[in-house]
Each structure stands twice: as C-alpha cells, then as structure tokens.
Amino acid sequence: AGKCYQHTPTETSQATLASVSPVFAVMKFDKEGNTTYFEKKKTELYQELGLQARDLRFQHVMSIATRNNKIIMRMEFLKAVITPEFLLILDYRNLSLEHWLLNELASQLAGEGQLVTYSLPFEFRAIEAILQYWISKLQGRLNTLQPQILETLEALVDPKLLSVDRSKLHILLQNGKSLSELETDVKVFKETILKILDEEEVIEELCLSKWTDPQVFEESTSGIDHAEEMELLLENYYRQAEDLLNEARELRVLIDDSESIIFINLDSHRNVMMRLNLQLTMGTFSVSLFGLIGVAFGMNLESSLEEDPRIFWLVTGIMFLGSGLIWRRLLSFLGRHLDPPLPPHVPAVLKKSQPAAGRVEIKTSLKAETFGLSRSTLTNQ
C-alpha cells in the first residue's frame, strides 16, 4: 500500500496516440498547377512542414497568419497552408469546394486565370485565388438573397391588401436571418484583412519569396517592393468586402422601410374600419333617440291622436328627419376634430423685416412643422 508507482510512456502507448491522431485529406498544388492527393496524419504533417500542432488546429474561424516562413489561412471550412513552392488544401472533401479546386484553382495558380498577380511570386497567386473564391462566395449568397427579399417585399407592400400573408412574413424572416449571417461573415472578412493592413511587419512576412529567393530579394531592394504589392492586393479585396457590406446594409434598410410601410397600410385600413364603425354607431344612436316617439305611441294607452290618419305619417317623418339631423350634426362634429389643422399664420411684418436667407429658413421650418403636424394627424387617424 505504501509503494509509489511511476508510469513511463512506452512504444505501445506512443503508437496508440499516433493511431488516434486525426488524418488530413490533403490536395497539393505546385507552381505549374499540377495536383496531387494524399492522406497524412496530423503529427506527420506538421513535423514535415516545420509547424507546431496548434498551427494545424483549424476551427471554423477566419484568420491569416505566418509561421516559420509559411502562410496559414483559415476561411471557416477552407483551410490552407501556403509555401513559396506549393499550396496545401486540407480537408477538401466538400462538394462546392471540390468543384472550385478541380475547375478553377489549378489554372489560377498556373497563371492562366484572370488574376492580376500572375507575374508575382507563387504566394501572391495563392492568396489572391483564395480571397477571390471567398469574396465570390459571399457575393453569390447576396445575389441569391436579394431577388427573394425584393419579391417578398413587393408582395407585402401592396396597398390593396387588407391583411398580411403569414407565409410571406415567414419567408421574409428567414431571409432576414440569412442576411444577418451574411453581414456578420463580411464584417469578419473585413476585420481579418484590416488587421493585416494595420501591421506592416505582417505584410512583410506574407512575402515569403522575398526572404527565400535571392533574386526576389534583389528586386525588392532595387525598387520593386513586394510588400506594397501585397498591401494593394489586400486593400483591393478589402474594398470589395466594403462594397458588398454596403449592398447588404442597403437591403437591410429596404426591409426596415418596407416594414414601416406595411404597418402604415395596416393602420390606414384599421382607421377606416374604426371610422365606419363610429359612423354606424352614431347613426344607430340617432335612430334610437327618435325611436322613443314610436315607443311612446306603441304603448297600450288611448289618446285622440291615433284616430287621426295623418298622425302616423307626421310622427314617422319627424322621427326620420330628427334622426338624420342629429346624425349629420354628429358627423360634422367628428369631421372638425379629425381634419388636420391649418398651418400657423406668419405676420407680413415679419416677412418684410427678414432678409432673403431668413425667409427661406422660416419657410423651410414652417413647411417641416406643417408636415410634422399632418403626419401626426394621419397617425392618429
């Protein structure tokens, strides 16, 4: 019971740890665009690349970092390691990602695409190809959402509709959530690039060939600064992300404005129904008030009036005429309180004493005040 045992790792335990190590499905691209596929354990891969285990711990985040003269790019599910000689795409088994890898990336890395960095070192082409893929993916999501949102809003804002279609509102809610997710992804992409643009040392480290290729280093010292080219490349995609975010914000503002219009239309129809209900209530009150005369004559009491044949028509006429007059009076009272007030009167002396610029400011303020009163009156109605 008093003995102390110490466990020492054996070859068997190390083999067990190696067996449970994750295996990466890797696609390798060289400078000419040639592609090779292989699978390799994480421990073997980071030892071969001269990296640490945490460098290949890819989560669904977005970052661009340099480590041991290698660029590690994390674009959520897109994971890449860039060296001056080749590009590694890890865990590429994704349908949309495989389509891009097989059809576009190889030609772009070989300089056959439309990339502007074909004359620069290999890491420039690799970074631009990945950034272009990601910004085009974000643009595609916006292009898918925009027509759906516009079609739904057009159906909801129709002033002829007395009620709102719940199915359209459900579609708008889903599209609004997708738009919020897109805005978040674009903001993260912008912040990732901006973080690099704010650090000159990081931009220098991204130019891998500058520190490994003597010819490239001589070119950089003779006037061709590759760090400036990398900065221009990142700024280009930063501006594209900014434009994309502005389009998403405009779409968000359009949704908010359309919601306000929908509420105004519903309030307008609701006010019409309330006004009609009020008019019918006043009419019922008027008829009931003069209906008391008929009730009095309908009682089982005898008088000399029921013997005259003209009394029936006289009493009936008085009832209808009195009911109509009272109903008309109530409607005029209602109209006076619901009509918008007249704009305040401006004295002529004040107009003459003010200069031209002052008169323009007074008219502008009065117009804004009148518009505000009319708008508040419409809201009350």
Side-chain angles (χ1 to χ4, degrees):
K3 293 181 179 180
C4 179
Y5 295 95
Q6 182 178 5
H7 175 72
T8 57
T10 61
E11 295 181 358
T12 305
S13 62
Q14 292 179 355
T16 304
L17 291 176
S19 63
V20 299
S21 178
V23 178
F24 287 121
V26 184
M27 183 178 289
K28 182 178 180 181
F29 298 87
D30 58 10
K31 293 183 178 181
E32 288 73 23
N34 300 322
T35 308
T36 56
Y37 310 86
F38 59 90
E39 292 185 357
K40 186 166 289 190
K41 294 181 180 180
K42 179 180 178 180
T43 54
E44 298 176 357
L45 185 61
Y46 72 72
Q47 290 176 1
E48 180 180 339
L49 295 175
L51 301 175
Q52 299 181 5
R54 64 173 179 270
D55 296 330
L56 299 183
R57 190 183 302 125
F58 291 125
Q59 297 89 10
H60 284 285
V61 294
M62 189 171 297
S63 65
I64 302 174
T66 57
R67 186 85 64 187
N68 196 14
N69 203 29
K70 294 175 180 61
I71 301 173
I72 304 171
M73 296 188 67
R74 301 176 178 91
M75 295 289 172
E76 293 186 0
F77 59 85
L78 176 59
K79 310 164 188 177
V81 178
I82 304 173
T83 69
E85 302 295 332
F86 56 84
L87 165 66
L88 299 181
I89 302 295
L90 309 182
D91 288 344
Y92 63 89
R93 292 171 181 174
N94 186 290
L95 293 179
S96 60
L97 192 59
E98 282 188 4
H99 176 76
W100 170 67
L101 292 173
L102 298 176
N103 298 335
E104 299 180 14
L105 181 58
S107 61
Q108 291 176 347
L109 294 177
E112 299 175 2
Q114 298 179 356
L115 301 184
V116 298
T117 54
Y118 64 92
S119 60
L120 294 174
F122 175 76
E123 65 269 15
F124 283 80
R125 300 198 297 271
I127 292 175
E128 184 173 11
I130 295 176
L131 293 180
Q132 186 184 56
Y133 165 75
W134 196 255
I135 200 72
S136 62
K137 188 175 183 64
L138 295 175
Q139 183 67 51
R141 290 169 58 185
L142 180 62
N143 294 338
T144 304
L145 283 174
Q146 189 171 10
Q148 297 178 0
I149 293 176
L150 294 178
E151 182 181 359
T152 305
L153 292 178
E154 185 177 359
L156 290 174
V157 177
D158 190 359
K160 298 180 181 179
L161 296 178
L162 300 179
S163 61
V164 179
D165 189 357
R166 293 182 179 271
S167 62
K168 296 293 184 181
L169 287 178
H170 182 66
I171 295 174
L172 183 62
L173 178 61
Q174 291 180 341
N175 291 334
K177 291 181 179 179
S178 301
L179 184 62
S180 300
E181 295 175 358
L182 176 61
E183 290 178 349
T184 302
D185 293 341
V186 177
K187 288 179 182 178
V188 173
F189 182 78
K190 278 184 52 184
E191 292 173 358
T192 302
I193 297 180
L194 184 61
K195 189 182 298 183
I196 300 175
L197 291 174
D198 292 338
E199 299 291 338
E200 295 183 2
E201 297 179 356
V202 178
I203 297 177
E204 291 281 352
E205 292 175 356
L206 291 178
C207 303
L208 304 179
S209 301
K210 182 177 180 180
W211 312 110
T212 57
D213 191 348
Q215 181 179 359
V216 175
F217 183 79
E218 292 177 0
E219 291 178 357
S220 63
T221 55
S222 62
I224 304 176
D225 193 353
H226 286 187
E228 293 183 359
E229 297 290 341
M230 180 64 70
E231 185 176 0
L232 292 175
L233 171 65
L234 296 176
E235 285 182 352
N236 178 32
Y237 286 96
Y238 178 82
R239 287 195 298 269
Q240 292 187 30
E242 181 68 25
D243 296 338
L244 187 61
L245 185 60
N246 290 334
E247 293 180 10
R249 287 173 178 171
E250 292 177 359
L251 199 58
R252 173 67 62 186
V253 172
L254 183 60
I255 292 177
D256 296 338
D257 294 343
S258 300
E259 288 179 354
S260 302
I261 294 175
I262 292 171
F263 291 146
I264 291 175
N265 289 337
L266 293 178
D267 290 340
S268 177
H269 290 297
R270 189 182 300 111
N271 292 338
V272 171
M273 299 304 296
M274 293 175 62
R275 188 183 183 98
L276 179 61
N277 186 22
L278 182 59
Q279 291 177 355
L280 293 176
T281 302
M282 291 188 299
T284 304
F285 170 75
S286 304
V287 174
S288 300
L289 182 61
F290 278 87
L292 295 176
I293 300 176
V295 174
F297 278 93
M299 298 175 64
N300 295 326
L301 298 177
E302 295 182 356
S303 63
S304 59
L305 296 178
E306 64 268 9
E307 296 177 358
D308 192 347
R310 295 173 296 177
I311 292 299
F312 172 77
W313 300 108
L314 179 61
V315 173
T316 303
I318 292 174
M319 289 173 55
F320 280 101
L321 181 61
S323 300
L325 292 176
I326 291 181
W327 186 52
R328 185 65 180 174
R329 183 66 178 174
L330 292 175
L331 288 180
S332 62
F333 175 79
L334 178 65
R336 286 200 306 271
H337 284 268
L338 293 182
D339 288 339
L342 296 175
H345 177 67
V346 181
V349 179
L350 180 61
K351 291 183 178 180
K352 294 180 180 179
S353 60
Q354 294 291 338
R359 289 200 299 270
V360 172
E361 292 179 358
I362 292 174
K363 291 181 181 180
T364 306
S365 61
L366 290 176
K367 185 181 296 183
E369 183 178 359
T370 305
F371 176 75
L373 293 174
S374 303
R375 184 175 182 181
S376 62
T377 305
L378 176 60
T379 305
N380 293 331
Q381 289 179 3

